[in-house]
Each structure stands twice: as C-alpha cells, then as structure tokens.
Amino acid sequence: MKQTINIPLGSQHIALLEPVRFKFECENEKIIGVDSDVGFVHRGIERACTTKFKFDSIGYVVARVCGLCAITHSLSYTVAIEKLLGGEISKKAKYLRILLLELDRIHSHMLCLSHTCENAGFEAMFMRIMGDRELVMEIQELLTGNRVQFDYISIGGVNRDLSSTVALKIKENLYEVKQKVLGYMDEFTHNWSLSLKFKGIGALSLDDAYIFNAIGPLARASGLNIDVRNEIDYLPFNEVGFLMQTHSDGDINARNLVRLNEILNSILMCENIINGLPEGEIFTKIKGKPKGEAIVRFEAPRGELMYYVKGNGTAMLDRVRIKTPTFSSIPAFSHIFVGQDYADAPAILASFDPCLSCTAK
Amino acid sequence: MFTSFTKAFTNLFKTPQTIDYPATPIEKDKEHRGLIEYGEEACIYCLKCEKACPPGAILFVPVENPPENEKNKKGLKYHYNPYLCIYCSECVRACPKPDEALWQSNKKSQPATKEDRVNESWFELERLKKQTD
Amino acid sequence: MIETLLILFAPLIGGLMYGFERKLRARMQSRQGPPLLQPFYDMWKLIDKQAFIVNPYHTILGVMHFITIWIVVAFIILGQNLLYVIFLHLLSTIFIILAGFSVKSIYSHIGSNRELQAMIAYEPILIMVAVGFFMMNGSFAISTIRENDTSLASLFLLFLAFLMVIQIKLKKSPFDATEAHQEIVGGVEVEFSGVFFEFIYMAKWLEYVFVYLLLMLFAGNNIFLGIGLFFGVFLLVNLVDNATARIKMKHLLRIVLVIGLILGMWNLIGLSYV
C-alpha cells in the first residue's frame, strides 16, 4: 500500500494570486517532496520586443510584464538605452525617478503583507491593510495620472513635474501611512495566534541562503547583506537616506519585519526627496539609435532585476533579455517546503511574494 | 490581540470605506490620464502622432469625403480606437500644436457591446491603410 | 401549534441569522457587506446549476446529514432528552464524515480527517455540559430544564468551556481548521454541486440554530437573560473571529481538550460537593 499521498496546490487555487502548480508528496500532511511548474502566463514579450515594436516604445511594452513592479522594468530598460545612446539626464529627473520607485515599493510590500495574513486565516487584517493601501494609490494617481500602470518614464527623463499641491498631499498621506505601519508592527509581534502561525515556520538558514542564491527580502531576513541599491550608481540612493534592513531568524516573521522596516525607510526617503528637490528640467532630448550591448541591474520589491539589451544601429533591437527575481528564488522555495506541514504551505508561499507574471514573461 | 478586538468593535459605528460604484459616481482628478480628443480645424496632417503611438491606436486613412482643410493634401481622415489606446500621451507630446489639435481629457472609456463591431471595423481600416501605403 | 411552525421554519430562521452575521462581520472590517437575504439568493442560484453525482453513497449521505440535523432541532424544540439530542447530533456529523471519505478527492479526505479530530476535541465537553444540567435539575429532559430557574451562576466554568465549542461548531477563527478554505478549498464540501450543495448549505444554517438553542438553555425560564445571552455571545463570537488567525489542528486539540476538560471537571467536582 502506498505510504504517501500527493496533494496538488494546483494551477488554480484560492490561496494563489497567479497560476503556479506545486505537487506536494506528503505523509499525513507532512511534506517530504516538492515538484513545481511555472509558465502558465507566458506571453512571448521578449520576442515581441525584437520584431513588433521600435526601440522608443518598448518602455511601455515591458512595463506590462508585471503589475506590481511595472515601474522597475520600465526604468531598467530606459537606463540601458540611455547608456547605449550616451546621454546625461538632469538631477531633478533622477530624484523624481527614485520617488516613484520607492512609492511603488511601499504599495507592493503592503500587498504582500496582507496576502500573507489572509493565507494564515486572518481575514480582518487583510481587509485592514488593503484599505490603508488606498492612501498610497491616491497619491500615485495624483502624481502620474493612473493607479497601477504609471507610464511615467521616457528616454531622457520623466513625463510630468511635481507641483506644490501634489507634494503637500504626498507628505500628508505618507504621515498617515507611517502611523498605520507602526500599528501593524505592534500587531504582528504581539498577537498569539499569528505567532503560532509565523514564528519558527519556513525558516531559511544563512548557509542555505548563500548556497541556493536567495535574493531580495528573503535573503535579507536570513542575515545575508545584499541589496542592489548599495551596488549601483545610476541613481543617487545614498544621498536620500537609504539604509539596508536585515534580520537574522529567517522565518516568516523575520520576512514580515524586514518588509515593514523597508516601508518605513522608503517613507523616510520620499520625505527627504520632496524636501530637497533640486531645480532643473525634467526632460532632455537624446538623439540617435542604439548600437552595442548594455547590462543594467535594479532592486525590484522582490529582489534583483537584470536587463540585457543589444542593438545594431537600427530602430529595431537585436535582443532584450529579462531576468526576474522570482525565477531565481525557485530553488530556495523548493528547499524550504520539505519538512513543513501542509497547513503552513500557503502562508510560506505568500511570504516569498511570488510574482508569476514576471517569471513567465 | 486586544487592539484588533477593539478596532473591530469601533468599526461597527463608523461608515464603511466602500464606495457604491457605479450607483455613486466617482469624480476623477483633472490630471487623470483619459481619452485623447482631437480638434480638426488646427490639425496640419503631419502624421507625427501616428508614428509615435506604441500600440497603433491612431490611423489616418484616405476616405471619399475628407474634412475640408487646406493642409489635407491626400484626403485623409483621423480615426482613433479608444480600446487599443494605453493613455500614455506620447501622441500629445509628439504633436506640434498640443493644445489646439490634440489633447488628453480625463474621461474614461465606456464599455462596448457586440453590436458596435469594434474589432471588425478597426481591422477594415487597417487593411485600407495597408493597401494605400 | 406554535412548535410545529417553528420546526417547519427552522431553516429559514437559520438563513436569516446567517445573512445578518455576514453583514455584521463586514461592518467590523469596515466594508459594506452583502444584502441581508443573500443566503436565499444563493439558494435560488444553486437550484439552477447542474448537479454532478460522483457516486450515489456520497449524495445520499449528504442528504441524510441535512435531514438528521433538522430532526435534532425539532427534538430540542419539542423538549426531549438532552443526552439523546447530543448523540443524534454526533450521528449527523458521522454522516458527513463518511460522505467525505467515500470519494477519491484528496481535499475531501483531509477535510474528513480534520472533522474527526475536531469531534474528539469537543464531544467530551458537550457530554459534561449535559451531566452538569442533570446535576442541577435532576433530569435530562429539556422541557424540565426550561421550566426551572437559571443555572448560569453554578455552571459558569462549563459555560466558558461551551464558548470554545461554539467557535469550533460554527467554523470561526481561531478554531476553523476543519473548513480552511485557503488550504483545502472547503474540505468536505468541495465535491457537492448544484442542489446537493444546497442541502449542505442549509445544514450549516441549522447548526447555527442548534448551537444557539443549546446556549439559551443556560438561561432556564428567564427569557430576558436568554435573549441577552444570545445577543452578547453572537457579538463576542464575531469579534474574536475578526481578531485572531487560524491555528493548526494539533494546537486546536491540545488547547481545547486540556482547557475544556480541566474547567469541566472542576465545575462537576465542585457541584458534587455542594
């Protein structure tokens, strides 16, 4: 008689935001083997970038790879093309780009936290965090004109300026978000039923994080000190008050705390930018056609995003290659699930923050 | 746990955060990116907006009764597909007369039904354009 | 006469209670919530859907579950023997567990497993409550308990243990691992469809009526205390549901059995010495 049962966390499930398939081999609800399958949302974007669209519209195409880190894709592609064309953009445009990048990080982390709570069975917290996230969506709409797809960045700068009424509203809303995030930190650490579900579950040790090449908040929660914002120089992160947040436990609770601390650091950076915005133009025209190769890395909310762009002197590009953060985390996922209970599997999956549209572009 | 408890209790006495859309209309901010609008008298038919549009939502197609304008040498007419448009306003930035000939409003597009034949009429226009190019 | 009417309309009363509870829960999360008659709109929709019969035993056991629990509610209203009512309720739970095991779906099996484990946790407490009523009133008959004075003060520790059982029976956090819809997609209910799912849905409404009728027994012949208990516990159950997460099955067993047995034993030993 068979000793194990196969439980599918199938491609369509209540706990998943986007389709992915896991097959768990379990003995009485304890997981002993994992089999995974991605690629349900493949749309062929890399091929479309080299055949159907000219190089100056691809910024809008790659923004639609993912809904939550859309601005990071668009920004990476634009910085790669600016490197190939050899143009310099003004300091004010750089500061405005960082402002939008950090606002995007805040709303993406709030979505991930609320999804983790819902998968642990705490629906009231899910509704509360989503309701508070509306404050951030409002200021994004005032700044760029739309709530989710910003279309804010073009080759040579940004599309819209920051007026003083919008700046005031941003500061007010960010102050309210900060008070609410401090309330969440209190709730996450002191609620006894959440500690039964989060503390000590799904832990990734420091050695395993190094061996399996974990990136993003997953690695920082285990104690690994890596963050792409420390290592690049196309945008001045050090001048606006960036600080790397780490923790040492590596379980679900540690990842939540790292995300909450990153939200607080992003709020600080946004306030510094608004208070110290330099003068200048927001757009400088850059002419020419791209020729050569360029590689650019940025820190999306989920980890490291890499773009490789190759041009041959015409309006159509030769090759665009995107490496997304969730794809690099899949070996770490499959290692953590072994040995946990099946009842914890949705909560562990949500704490990784998987973005499957990015993975299967 | 007690903060959640008291918060759940006090929420009973406040109004809910839900907006009853579409029974209650929502006022959009005037800088919200909406549909593109066209002023025919000021257009100089340079076709820069058609080249700049990423999904190809603006087409200038030759028709039998073209609009009366001395710059319209080839008898073209402006067609706009609000269902292909991504509201990026690249066309407004490429236009030499941005507030008189082409500008962006803050209206949202309305849903279409099968009787409107949105896709079929647009494919006919694309075929017509490919023949005359 | 009035008892016959109450028995016939018991599912409808349960449906109204369920609809009101959904609205209350939504208001606590600062949302608007569905309309009050939503369970009945769901009923009309389900009758129109196509029903798949997986195998005949599964469907018959599901329908028997619904009929048995209606008979349980009828016996409470007519004032029969309390111990008999509790064991008949156990039979209806066994029917749904067998229905869960009779299909090949893995989610159904895990749901039935968890129902069985939860039953081990709360059945001793229900039997101790019945024994407590016997020691206070001298008989197991519900009609006698309803005519005597209230025994809330002397059975207070058993009342606290009974509050934990309410959370398990009504499938609310922190004890709702039997119907964990984010993990096992509904558990036992996942293989029912169409009008047969409607029977399981109506059985859920009747559970509400059963649990709250048992609760009002603690009030004896004092009607105002009964109504006050009903509204107070209704609010308390929903407030705790919105303030806690769902805990795993092994923690549920440990917490409910240990605390429930200790409280119950203290109360019964205390009663036998007074």
Side-chain angles (χ1 to χ4, degrees), chain C residues 153-174:
Chain C
S154 19
L155 291 180
F156 190 65
L157 292 178
L158 272 176
F159 177 70
L160 290 181
F162 187 65
L163 284 181
M164 283 200 296
V165 171
I166 295 185
Q167 291 287 105
I168 304 183
K169 290 300 323 180
L170 297 184
K171 305 207 166 104
K172 302 230 168 281
S173 305

Side-chain angles (χ1 to χ4, degrees), chain A residues 77-306:
Chain A
Y77 172 75
T78 313
V79 169
I81 292 285
E82 282 167 5
K83 261 181 150 180
L84 286 181
L85 296 178
E88 270 297 316
I89 60 173
S90 70
K91 198 148 191 228
K92 185 173 186 185
K94 287 190 186 176
Y95 271 58
L96 285 175
R97 283 179 177 181
I98 300 185
L99 173 68
L100 199 58
L101 204 63
E102 295 306 316
L103 280 178
D104 182 65
R105 192 181 310 272
I106 294 176
H107 95 86
S108 172
H109 279 327
M110 283 175 99
L111 184 107
C112 170
L113 285 169
S114 70
H115 187 50
T116 310
C117 281
E118 144 125 69
N119 278 358
F122 197 171
E123 284 114 8
M125 198 70 177
F126 164 58
M127 296 288 177
R128 191 168 136 192
I129 301 186
M130 284 300 215
D132 295 336
R133 183 174 164 250
E134 292 293 312
L135 290 166
V136 182
M137 306 302 268
E138 255 177 42
I139 54 182
Q140 280 170 344
E141 184 173 4
L142 286 177
L143 180 61
T144 64
N146 204 351
R147 282 160 55 112
V148 177
Q149 286 289 348
F150 304 141
D151 295 335
Y152 191 64
I153 297 184
S154 45
I155 301 177
V158 296
N159 285 343
R160 284 198 196 192
D161 203 353
L162 181 68
S163 70
S164 51
T165 38
V166 172
L168 200 58
K169 184 100 176 105
I170 292 182
K171 284 213 280 205
E172 279 173 18
N173 276 14
L174 283 181
Y175 178 71
E176 281 191 43
V177 170
K178 185 168 170 182
Q179 305 307 314
K180 296 208 193 276
V181 167
L182 292 172
Y184 301 151
M185 285 181 90
D186 183 46
E187 185 72 32
F188 273 91
T189 34
H190 294 135
N191 191 330
W192 75 272
S193 55
L194 273 188
S195 351
L196 282 181
K197 279 295 247 194
F198 284 168
K199 291 198 177 147
I201 311 278
L204 183 69
S205 67
L206 182 57
D207 292 330
D208 280 340
Y210 196 57
I211 295 175
F212 286 101
N213 188 23
I215 49 177
L218 179 63
R220 291 198 278 280
S222 303
L224 207 54
N225 283 349
I226 53 169
D227 193 326
V228 177
R229 290 177 280 177
N230 249 349
E231 305 163 12
I232 55 173
D233 58 354
Y234 341 109
L235 285 181
F237 280 106
N238 303 346
E239 295 175 14
V240 293
F242 162 66
L243 276 174
M244 183 155 58
Q245 312 289 335
T246 56
H247 202 278
S248 58
D249 287 336
D251 55 2
I252 302 184
N253 191 35
R255 287 175 219 142
N256 288 343
L257 284 177
V258 164
R259 288 196 176 104
L260 285 167
N261 284 330
E262 280 190 7
I263 294 181
L264 289 176
N265 187 236
S266 294
I267 295 180
L268 180 71
M269 280 168 42
C270 291
E271 284 172 356
N272 285 348
I273 289 176
I274 295 181
N275 289 338
L277 197 62
E279 302 291 326
E281 296 184 351
I282 55 174
F283 189 74
T284 38
K285 196 150 178 61
I286 302 183
K287 293 193 195 292
K289 301 261 192 298
K291 191 178 171 77
E293 298 180 343
I295 296 186
V296 166
R297 297 158 63 215
F298 260 104
E299 175 86 5
R302 286 156 183 80
E304 175 206 32
L305 176 71
M306 184 206 79

Side-chain angles (χ1 to χ4, degrees), chain A residues 53 57 60 64 122 128 131 141-142 144-146 149-151 154 159-160 186-187 190-192, chain B residues 1-4 7 17 28-29 31-33 51-55 86-90 93 104:
Chain A
F53 295 99
S57 349
Y60 297 107
R64 275 129 181 99
F122 197 171
R128 191 168 136 192
E141 184 173 4
L142 286 177
T144 64
N146 204 351
Q149 286 289 348
F150 304 141
D151 295 335
S154 45
N159 285 343
R160 284 198 196 192
D186 183 46
E187 185 72 32
H190 294 135
N191 191 330
W192 75 272
Chain B
M1 188 168 131
F2 290 112
T3 31
S4 284
K7 199 163 180 58
Q17 241 180 331
K28 282 282 170 198
D29 182 66
E31 297 285 325
H32 175 79
R33 287 187 279 137
K51 286 190 207 108
C53 178
I86 61 175
Y87 313 113
C88 59
S89 63
E90 280 280 316
R93 282 192 283 273
Q104 188 167 36

Side-chain angles (χ1 to χ4, degrees), chain C residues 202-274:
Chain C
M202 285 203 282
K204 238 204 283 200
W205 307 344
L206 285 171
E207 286 270 6
Y208 275 69
V209 178
F210 165 70
V211 163
Y212 284 116
L213 278 179
L214 270 193
L215 179 71
M216 299 205 329
L217 276 186
F218 277 96
N221 58 6
N222 191 343
I223 300 222
F224 294 115
L225 181 64
I227 295 183
L229 265 184
F230 169 64
F231 280 118
V233 171
F234 195 70
L235 196 63
L236 181 73
V237 158
N238 279 313
L239 281 176
V240 174
D241 181 30
N242 278 334
T244 50
R246 169 186 313 133
I247 64 179
K248 289 194 286 208
M249 210 59 212
K250 58 181 186 187
H251 293 131
L252 191 162
L253 271 179
R254 252 181 254 164
I255 292 176
V256 173
L257 262 185
V258 166
I259 296 183
L261 279 180
I262 290 181
L263 286 177
M265 282 300 172
W266 259 355
N267 203 340
L268 290 180
I269 294 177
L271 276 180
S272 59
Y273 275 118
V274 158

